[in-house]
Structure formats: C-alpha cells, structure tokens
Amino acid sequence: MLPKTAQIRLMSSHPEVYDPCDDSFALVDALLADRANLLEHRPSICMEVGCGSGYVITSLALMLGKDSSGCHFIATDINPHAVCVTHKTMEAHGCYAELVITDIASGLETRLAGSVDVMVVNPPYVPTPEYEVGQFGIASAWAGGENGRSVIDKILHVADDLLSDKGWLYLVTLAVNNPSGICLQMRKKGYASRIVLQRSTEEESLHIIKFWRDLDIQLEVSECTALNKTDHGVILNSLLSRVPRLPFWIRDNCGSH
C-alpha cells in the first residue's frame, strides 16, 4: 500500500532549497484532513506554487492515489535548484509533475486560465524588507516583504485568474499576515473561506486557509458593485442638476473658442 504522504527518507535536498518544516507539514496535514473532499472533487489539474523540496506536491499526488490517474500535476518555483530537487523527490516516490522554473505562474497564465481545480501554496510569508523579496536561492522561500504580504497578495491575484469555477486554493499564512484580512480580500472577489487547520509552534502561529468560489457571495459582490455604480450615477446626476445653465449667448461665445 502506497503511503499517503511523502517520506522524509526519500526526500532530495540542496543547500539552496527550503527543507520540509512545520509549515510544510501543516499544509500536508490540512490536505489530509480534507482528503475525502479532495477525492470526491476529482480534480483535473492540481498545481503547487513554490514547490521547494517537492514535499507538498508529492504528498498531494500520493494522497489522491489511483483516483488521480486523469489528473495533471504542475509545480512552479523561481529557484531552479528547487525544481531539480522536486523532480528527484517525485521520482523517488514514483510520481510525476510538470515542473516549471518561473515566478509564481508567469508564462502559464493563458494556458492555465480558469482551469486549475486545486492550488496549494506555502508562500514566502515572513515579514522582511521589500528588497529581499524575489531573490534567487533559499531566501526566495521565506522573504515576504511588508507584513509578509507582498508575495501572498500577488499569488492571490494569480490564483483568481487560474482557478476553475470549482477551484480550491489552500494557502499557508501566519497570524502576522492578517488571515482575516486575506479572507475579506478574497470575499470581495467572490470567494468563501475556512481555516482547515491552525497550528502553533514555538516561533509562529500557522493558519491553513481553504478558498473556493461561492455563488451566493459572487451574487452579493455583483449586487454591491451594481448598487455602487447606480449610487454614483444618481449622485452625479444630482450634482449636474444643480449646475446653473449658462445663458445661450455665453454658451455661444464659449463655443466659438
């Protein structure tokens, strides 16, 4: 019987690649906790942004097992060493994924637009100076900019474009990232959310959040947007009605210029 998660003894490594740690284990545990739903979901495309060592994408492929025979796995990382390590890790577990060296999903937007059914992300969430964000090597695995949100906010924008109508996003966050604010931000885009797993370590408080498109919320957002447009139109018409009309001879003279 195949294991449902990647085995540490089979993991590949590299000095410039982030090894599986508490956040990686928490994300995989959250996926395990939601495994019954994932199996019922029957995703066609599963994607990991920032694959690092390959622990998460390998675990996802293993826990879906034979039910994922028709599923295509994709993993990206800005660090070329990470992509190489992920390839070796997946190969050691008898799994396969399309691996791409890129920043988040750059170059894949058109091809994957609206087609990703499951996206998993353990992003760079540690608050750091902005100049550290996007560096090559192992620093790219944790440098998250101000409040640890610089990369997270970019990923949320990309996820909104790539997720299918039934798409699910699993995202690792820290308390300092303001998870409730992230949920509110995604709600404005029509997503419902719930915390699948919360775990505190000696150094951090982790929240694994699951997002999915919700028709009721989308309708609510659409109605609010329409109402705002209507209100703006009413206000504009009201303001224009108060503008005194110029005598025709002034209008004519103004028009002559």
Side-chain angles (χ1 to χ4, degrees):
M1 181 178 179
L2 289 174
K4 292 186 175 65
T5 62
Q7 304 299 291
I8 297 299
R9 63 183 177 83
L10 296 178
M11 298 292 300
S12 185
S13 63
H14 187 279
E16 288 296 321
V17 176
Y18 185 72
D19 288 327
C21 200
D22 291 330
D23 48 2
S24 313
F25 302 141
L27 178 53
V28 168
D29 286 347
L31 294 172
L32 277 173
D34 212 30
R35 180 171 179 261
N37 292 324
L38 283 165
L39 290 173
E40 186 177 345
H41 195 51
R42 301 188 69 83
S44 296
I45 298 180
C46 291
M47 179 178 188
E48 181 177 16
V49 173
C51 55
S53 66
Y55 177 76
V56 175
I57 191 69
T58 301
S59 294
L60 179 59
L62 288 171
M63 68 179 70
L64 291 178
K66 61 183 180 181
D67 296 290
S68 67
S69 57
C71 182
H72 184 62
F73 293 89
I74 304 174
T76 69
D77 205 295
I78 196 172
N79 182 351
H81 298 299
V83 169
C84 182
V85 168
T86 294
H87 171 73
K88 292 178 180 178
T89 294
M90 297 202 78
E91 191 175 50
H93 287 82
C95 301
Y96 170 80
E98 177 185 350
L99 305 175
V100 183
I101 302 170
T102 189
D103 183 14
I104 304 179
S106 180
L108 300 172
E109 299 94 340
T110 301
R111 173 188 161 202
L112 296 179
S115 61
V116 177
D117 295 324
V118 174
M119 181 181 289
V120 293
V121 189
N122 183 8
Y125 53 62
V126 177
T128 64
E130 286 295 329
Y131 69 81
E132 293 186 12
V133 175
Q135 292 188 8
F136 289 96
I138 197 168
S140 64
W142 66 67
E146 185 177 358
N147 299 320
R149 287 285 298 274
S150 293
V151 181
I152 288 176
D153 289 342
K154 291 178 183 177
I155 291 172
L156 293 178
H157 178 76
V158 172
D160 184 38
D161 290 336
L162 300 192
L163 288 174
S164 67
D165 289 339
K166 71 171 192 174
W168 294 349
L169 167 65
Y170 295 85
L171 178 72
V172 179
T173 66
L174 279 183
V176 73
N177 302 144
N178 187 13
S180 60
I182 292 174
C183 292
L184 180 59
Q185 179 179 331
M186 290 299 281
R187 183 179 180 86
K188 292 177 180 178
K189 295 178 181 291
Y191 290 84
S193 60
R194 72 179 177 92
I195 295 176
V196 181
L197 184 145
Q198 185 172 350
R199 181 172 296 169
S200 296
T201 68
E202 293 182 0
E203 299 180 351
E204 53 195 13
S205 178
L206 297 164
H207 299 75
I208 315 301
I209 310 174
K210 177 182 179 181
F211 298 94
W212 66 95
R213 299 183 193 275
D214 184 278
L215 291 177
D216 291 335
I217 294 177
Q218 289 177 338
L219 179 61
E220 175 187 311
V221 171
S222 177
E223 289 176 345
C224 287
T225 302
L227 182 60
N228 286 335
K229 289 181 178 178
T230 301
D231 288 345
H232 291 158
V234 170
I235 293 171
L236 180 60
N237 289 333
S238 177
L239 291 173
L240 290 175
S241 68
R242 299 176 190 177
V243 177
R245 294 181 61 82
L246 297 174
F248 73 91
W249 58 271
I250 295 180
R251 295 202 304 271
D252 289 344
N253 287 336
C254 290
S256 65
H257 293 286

